[in-house]
Amino acid sequence: MRRRTLLSLLSLLPFAALAQKAPSTLRIGYQKSSTLLTVLKVRGQLEQDLAPLGVKITWHEFSSGLPLLEALNVGGVDLSADVADTVPVFAQAAGAKLTYFAQEAPSPSAQAIVVRTESQINSVADLKGKKVAVTKAAGSHYLLIAALDKAGLRFKDIEPAYLTPADGRAAFERGSVAAWVTWDPYLAGVQKQSQVRILADGRNIADYQRYYLASTAYAEAHPEVLSVVFEALRKAGKWVKQSPKEAAELLAPAWGLDAATVELANSRRSYDVRLVVKDALGEQQRIADAFYGEGLLPRKLDATAVPLWRLR
């Protein structure tokens, strides 16, 4: 009897093993500026890397970082592609349960305030009383606040027009707004296709670090999946910087831009993927304080009081 019972249990082991290895799904949210995950998506690289773990991927595109992190918070996606440093601050203020997964080193010149070439606006101070297109909670939003502060102005001294990147460019080109604050590849696109001047970029104003985030529940349950994704992102970042023309040609069709425009955009991004450490979150605190000071956050935040993923 014991022998038959043991044989019965052993006969079930293969089925138990198969059940444990049953394919799961990693839902990735991304946006047009999510360069490295777009590279991995076009190449099918993550699908290959995660196949041994039985993990399949679904891809979900968003217009900007704030709706992406809102979807992450409510369980619509498991992992967020890189979003500007401001976006997690807004998510944290809303009580989102998100974990900082990885970070790209600063790329301050990859976002800028632009005006039309013929504009009479020659300095940030000249924006006083003007209508400025900006995407709410994007890195460009903080750039605008910080640039105005440096020029001795408050955010209330301009009239913000909160628009998506596509709507912001349309408003800018038809003259409905005096200036547009945006980031690459939208910045490179308008530079190549329209007559514009850069009024100010992030250098010496805003570091513009981009963060990858995961839902805290997913990060705790699937560290082995995130380890694979982290390594793939790190390799993709090195490849984009070492092979700029090849990377531009790969990304151009996905972005709907010509390769020269993509190469310009990529030249201003670091793509240096690294782990997030608490001591390096000082810029996050400055961002939180700036938005709270302008009445754009509902409460004062400790921007360093966030869960950080660790490579295992």
Side-chain angles (χ1 to χ4, degrees):
M1 177 68 72
R2 286 198 299 271
R3 186 171 181 271
R4 284 199 300 271
T5 302
L6 179 60
L7 288 173
S8 297
L9 289 171
L10 289 173
S11 70
L12 291 174
L13 285 178
F15 297 98
L18 285 173
Q20 289 174 355
K21 293 180 181 178
S24 60
T25 301
L26 171 61
R27 300 166 299 167
I28 299 178
Y30 70 103
Q31 52 183 322
K32 192 171 184 178
S33 55
S34 303
T35 308
L36 302 186
L37 275 171
T38 301
V39 166
L40 295 173
K41 179 176 183 289
V42 172
R43 288 173 143 184
Q45 187 65 54
L46 267 185
E47 283 82 355
Q48 295 176 37
D49 292 348
L50 289 172
L53 296 179
V55 177
K56 295 184 177 179
I57 299 173
T58 58
W59 300 89
H60 308 268
E61 186 172 359
F62 293 81
S63 62
S64 61
L66 192 57
L68 171 50
L69 287 202
E70 288 171 350
L72 187 65
N73 184 43
V74 299
V77 295
D78 304 306
L79 178 68
S80 163
D82 52 305
V83 295
D85 38 20
T86 53
V87 186
V89 169
F90 275 80
Q92 184 183 355
K97 303 298 183 184
L98 306 178
T99 293
Y100 279 60
F101 165 52
Q103 172 198 69
E104 287 181 15
S107 303
S109 61
Q111 58 177 355
I113 304 169
V114 296
V115 295
R116 290 175 291 279
T117 302
E118 72 279 6
S119 173
Q120 297 302 305
I121 297 172
N122 295 306
S123 69
V124 174
D126 293 337
L127 292 175
K128 186 174 183 179
K130 302 293 193 301
K131 193 171 186 178
V132 180
V134 64
T135 301
K136 188 174 184 179
S140 54
H141 196 173
Y142 175 64
L143 170 61
L144 179 58
I145 290 174
L148 289 170
D149 180 69
K150 188 175 180 179
L153 299 177
R154 295 288 302 275
F155 191 69
K156 64 183 179 182
D157 291 326
I158 58 105
E159 181 184 350
Y162 290 125
L163 299 169
T164 65
D167 290 340
R169 177 165 176 175
F172 175 69
E173 291 188 332
R174 68 171 175 262
S176 300
V177 295
W180 181 34
V181 197
T182 193
W183 63 95
D184 280 319
Y186 306 106
L187 175 59
V190 77
Q191 282 183 285
K192 288 284 189 179
Q193 298 163 8
S194 301
Q195 298 296 311
V196 301
R197 288 185 285 113
I198 289 181
L199 197 63
D201 62 22
R203 286 174 291 187
N204 302 312
I205 301 174
D207 284 347
Y208 189 48
Q209 299 177 93
R210 295 182 68 89
Y211 289 90
Y212 298 80
L213 295 102
S215 72
T216 297
Y218 191 90
E220 291 175 348
H222 302 285
E224 74 289 350
V225 175
L226 295 187
S227 293
V228 172
V229 176
F230 179 84
E231 184 62 19
L233 287 169
R234 193 183 62 80
K235 289 179 179 178
K238 289 185 177 181
W239 177 76
V240 170
K241 297 307 285 187
Q242 292 168 359
S243 309
K245 293 191 180 299
E246 188 178 353
E249 289 171 1
L250 177 77
L251 288 163
W255 283 356
L257 297 169
D258 62 274
T261 300
V262 176
E263 191 171 353
L264 172 62
N266 285 345
S267 71
R268 294 186 288 225
R269 290 275 295 276
S270 73
Y271 297 130
D272 178 13
V273 178
R274 58 195 188 183
L275 294 174
V276 183
V277 296
K278 186 173 182 178
D279 290 347
L281 291 174
E283 177 85 345
Q284 294 300 93
Q285 189 61 57
R286 289 190 291 275
I287 289 168
D289 292 344
F291 277 107
Y292 178 74
E294 293 292 350
L296 298 171
L297 278 183
R299 60 189 176 91
K300 193 170 180 62
L301 291 180
D302 177 359
T304 67
V306 290
L308 307 178
W309 180 78
R310 287 286 173 264
L311 188 63
R312 300 179 186 179

